[in-house]
């Protein structure tokens, strides 16, 4: 019995292959057999617990804590060059939200298997003369958390090895995933940091690789970035801008300007598009192109979008209460469209301001609508059932599948301004615009031409059958007060001078 107690004690301390003094072991017989069975099962149980403590349950890669210990151990050896790779899967949240968590978990499992294969260093073991390195390279893999993975390459011959491995990981992660009759595509953003040059401890290398990875995301995703000290300066600048953006929302620094849309025949204002502006305390008016990408990266886009929708609906309610109903459209980002909370927010805003739903229009760009047609169809159908109208924006710049397009409940099609640039000088441009207008009319859409800047363009579009136009010829984006004034001035179209522009 003493032998059994000592065996259990040693096994529980992690001495899984060591036995106490052999002379304490029971003699052959039933007692000996029972003791062997018990100790073997104890050994298996403890081994399993050790495995659970060190491995990620979903992917069976190292977990975060075990990876950190392993990297610190490799760094202490100080043998050869080492590289730290930080990998974030682009687009995983969208897949998880649309296809479900079970599909998302399975995708992560497949991604982990691909990561193992892509990280193999077999081909880098030998030098140019075919002689094996004295210290063989080693790979440590971990699921860092969520859709993030980390790789540590130790004893590699040069930095090019890490870059090749990263490129291979990027390639295999980006291959389509066909699981349970569903298909999904994701990509990866990868940051690389080198031991010694970019940090000497685990925490320093993690921070450097993480910084490089976020730079890869900001630069367009699906790419590899190597850490440099300049990225720290950029990261600090972006952090400061994010803080300013958060404060702008709480301080009320955002405002809406409105660009009217005019009926081609009567030249009366038929609706207006709400355009977001940031009145920065030092920089003055900041255009959306300068801060919306930052808002999307910092997860502020939904909060800002909620403010835009609420402000636009408030104005709709005011116009309706004054007996002068005006349709106002707002632009919807892909992040907003992905969340069902957006629909509830729109409904709540309409109720709060007692605004007629038919006077609110949501503009969805062509590429967003075509990115995930099933998701767009579901979300837009729910919005349409509220009585809200929907327009497809920037049409003609993407690659729409018309069969998919007609599944979506659009009521207006806005022709992108880029198609109007050569309208007066190129016959093929006129044919293209005419085709789009005719198609819109045939499908029951109202057509709108964006970026109209000359009277000749307006006249030609009117002849082509375009319903409405928007552009500097008739009005720039203007404040709410200027919009009210312009509405009063255009009660009759004779009062409108189309040869001049209205200052913003």
């Amino acid at each position: 019995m003493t032998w059994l107690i000592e065996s259990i004690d040693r096994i529980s301390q992690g001495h899984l292959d060591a036995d106490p003094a052999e002379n304490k072991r029971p003699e052959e017989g039933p007692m000996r057999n029972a003791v062997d069975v018990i100790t073997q099962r104890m050994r298996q149980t403890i081994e399993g617990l050790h495995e659970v403590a060190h491995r990620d349950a979903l992917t069976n890669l190292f977990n975060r804590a075990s990876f950190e210990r392993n990297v610190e151990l490799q760094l202490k050896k100080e043998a050869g060059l080492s590289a730290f790779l930080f990998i974030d899967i682009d687009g995983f949240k969208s897949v998880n939200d649309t296809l479900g968590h079970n599909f998302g978990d399975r995708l992560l499992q497949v991604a982990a298997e691909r990561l193992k294969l892509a990280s193999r260093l077999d081909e880098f073991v030998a030098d140019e003369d075919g002689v094996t390195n004295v210290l063989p390279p080693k790979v440590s893999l971990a699921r860092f958390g969520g859709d993030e993975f980390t790789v540590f390459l130790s004893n590699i011959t040069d930095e090019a090895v890490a870059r090749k491995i990263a490129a291979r990981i990027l390639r295999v992660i980006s291959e389509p995933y066909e699981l349970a009759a569903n298909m999904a595509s994701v990509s990866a953003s990868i940051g690389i940091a080198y031991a010694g040059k970019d940090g000497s401890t685990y925490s320093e290398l993690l921070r450097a690789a993480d910084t490089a990875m976020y730079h890869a995301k900001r630069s367009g995703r699906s790419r590899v970035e190597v850490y440099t000290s300049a990225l720290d300066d950029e990261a600090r600048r972006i952090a400061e801008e994010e803080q300013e953006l958060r404060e702008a929302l709480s301080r009320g620094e955002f405002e809406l300007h409105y660009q009217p849309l005019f009926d081609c025949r009567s030249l009366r204002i038929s609706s207006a598009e709400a355009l977001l502006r940031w009145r920065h305390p030092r920089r003055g008016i900041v255009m959306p192109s300068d801060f919306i990408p930052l808002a999307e990266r910092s997860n502020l886009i939904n909060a800002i979008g909620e403010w835009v929708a609420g402000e636009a609906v408030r104005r709709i309610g005011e116009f309706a209460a004054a007996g002068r109903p005006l349709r106002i459209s707002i632009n919807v980002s892909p992040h907003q469209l992905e969340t069902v909370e957006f629909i509830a927010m729109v409904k709540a805003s309409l109720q709060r301001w007692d605004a007629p739903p038919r006077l609110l229009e949501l503009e969805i760009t062509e590429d967003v609508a075509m990115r995930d047609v099933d998701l767009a169809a579901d979300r837009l159908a729910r919005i349409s059932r509220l009585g809200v109208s929907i327009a497809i924006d920037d049409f003609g710049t993407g690659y729409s599948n018309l069969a998919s397009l007609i599944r979506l409940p659009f009521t207006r099609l806005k022709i992108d301004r880029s198609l109007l640039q050569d309208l007066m000088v190129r016959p093929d441009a006129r044919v293209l615009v005419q085709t789009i207008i005719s198609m819109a009319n045939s499908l029951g859409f109202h057509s709108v031409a964006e970026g109209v800047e000359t009277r000749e363009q307006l006249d030609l579009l009117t002849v082509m059958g375009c319903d409405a136009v928007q552009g500097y010829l008739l009005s720039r984006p203007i404040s709410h007060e200027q919009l009210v004034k312009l509405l009063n001035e255009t009660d009759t179209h004779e009062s409108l001078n189309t040869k001049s522009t209205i200052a913003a």
Side-chain angles (χ1 to χ4, degrees), residues 211 215 227-236:
T211 298
H215 182 71
Y227 172 81
T228 65
S229 58
L231 296 184
D232 284 332
D233 296 333
E234 181 183 359
R236 281 192 290 270

Side-chain angles (χ1 to χ4, degrees), residues 270-272 312-313 315-317 319-321 324-330 350 354-362 387-389 412:
S270 59
S271 62
V313 171
R315 293 303 189 188
I316 290 172
F319 279 118
R324 191 162 200 167
L326 177 71
R327 178 190 290 117
I328 294 179
S329 63
I330 60 173
L350 291 168
D354 194 25
R358 63 182 176 81
L359 296 180
L360 175 64
E361 182 174 76
L362 306 184
V388 174
S389 59
R412 284 209 283 187

Side-chain angles (χ1 to χ4, degrees), residues 348-414:
S349 295
L350 291 168
Q351 293 173 340
R352 177 185 179 187
W353 299 109
D354 194 25
R358 63 182 176 81
L359 296 180
L360 175 64
E361 182 174 76
L362 306 184
E363 294 191 11
I364 313 294
T365 60
E366 180 185 7
D367 64 322
V368 170
M370 293 298 104
R371 183 181 304 175
D372 188 334
V373 176
D374 290 334
L375 174 65
D378 173 72
R379 297 290 191 267
L380 297 182
R382 297 188 194 190
I383 293 170
S384 182
R385 285 196 289 270
L386 297 177
V388 174
S389 59
I390 301 167
I392 183 167
D393 195 16
D394 298 340
F395 187 83
T397 59
Y399 302 93
S400 290
N401 180 327
L402 295 181
S404 298
L405 185 65
I406 60 177
R407 292 175 50 197
L408 307 176
F410 293 116
T411 55
R412 284 209 283 187
L413 186 153
K414 301 187 72 174

Side-chain angles (χ1 to χ4, degrees), residues 181-474:
N182 288 307
M183 181 77 75
S185 294
V186 296
S187 60
S189 296
I190 304 175
I192 304 177
Y194 296 102
K197 185 173 72 171
D198 303 323
S200 57
T201 66
Y202 170 83
S203 58
E204 290 172 348
L205 289 172
L206 171 62
R207 185 195 62 79
D210 186 45
T211 298
M213 183 275 291
Y214 272 104
H215 182 71
K217 276 193 175 296
R218 291 191 297 268
S219 301
R221 303 184 175 190
S222 190
R223 57 188 295 141
V224 177
E225 291 288 345
V226 177
Y227 172 81
T228 65
S229 58
L231 296 184
D232 284 332
D233 296 333
E234 181 183 359
R236 281 192 290 270
R237 176 183 59 79
I238 291 173
E240 292 172 358
E241 290 179 354
E242 285 183 3
Q243 184 60 30
E244 284 187 330
L245 199 57
R246 293 179 191 278
E247 293 174 353
L249 191 58
S250 60
R251 292 175 179 174
E253 294 174 0
F254 291 119
E255 58 188 54
L256 292 184
H257 289 194
Y258 301 87
Q259 186 168 30
L261 280 69
F262 294 81
D263 181 273
C264 280
R265 292 161 186 79
S266 68
L267 292 185
R268 294 175 183 268
I269 295 176
S270 59
S271 62
E273 179 182 358
L275 300 168
L276 181 62
R277 301 290 186 265
W278 177 8
R279 191 172 291 278
H280 194 280
R282 297 188 310 277
R283 297 159 59 190
I285 293 292
V286 181
M287 303 300 284
S289 58
D290 292 327
F291 66 86
I292 289 298
L294 177 62
E296 292 176 339
R297 291 194 302 267
S298 57
N299 295 321
L300 287 171
I301 189 63
N302 288 333
I304 294 174
E306 182 174 350
W307 181 87
V308 169
E311 180 67 7
V313 171
R314 181 172 74 87
R315 293 303 189 188
I316 290 172
E318 289 177 352
F319 279 118
R324 191 162 200 167
L326 177 71
R327 178 190 290 117
I328 294 179
S329 63
I330 60 173
N331 295 282
V332 178
S333 77
H335 296 271
Q336 292 173 287
L337 194 61
E338 289 173 358
T339 63
V340 292
E341 290 81 9
F342 174 72
I343 302 170
M345 180 273 295
V346 169
K347 183 178 181 180
S349 295
L350 291 168
Q351 293 173 340
R352 177 185 179 187
W353 299 109
D354 194 25
R358 63 182 176 81
L359 296 180
L360 175 64
E361 182 174 76
L362 306 184
E363 294 191 11
I364 313 294
T365 60
E366 180 185 7
D367 64 322
V368 170
M370 293 298 104
R371 183 181 304 175
D372 188 334
V373 176
D374 290 334
L375 174 65
D378 173 72
R379 297 290 191 267
L380 297 182
R382 297 188 194 190
I383 293 170
S384 182
R385 285 196 289 270
L386 297 177
V388 174
S389 59
I390 301 167
I392 183 167
D393 195 16
D394 298 340
F395 187 83
T397 59
Y399 302 93
S400 290
N401 180 327
L402 295 181
S404 298
L405 185 65
I406 60 177
R407 292 175 50 197
L408 307 176
F410 293 116
T411 55
R412 284 209 283 187
L413 186 153
K414 301 187 72 174
I415 304 169
D416 188 74
R417 65 183 67 247
S418 63
L419 301 181
L420 270 63
Q421 293 176 350
D422 298 324
L423 186 64
M424 306 309 302
V425 296
R426 290 182 53 182
D428 56 343
R430 291 196 292 274
V431 170
L432 178 59
V433 172
Q434 178 67 78
T435 300
I436 293 174
I437 293 172
S438 299
M439 180 191 71
N441 293 337
S442 299
L443 293 174
F445 297 162
H446 290 281
S447 54
V448 179
E450 300 178 296
V452 176
E453 298 182 352
T454 68
R455 182 70 201 213
E456 290 76 18
Q457 288 176 330
L458 173 62
D459 291 341
L460 180 56
L461 289 165
T462 303
V463 171
M464 288 180 170
C466 189
D467 295 306
V469 293
Q470 178 182 16
Y472 282 13
L473 170 68
L474 301 177

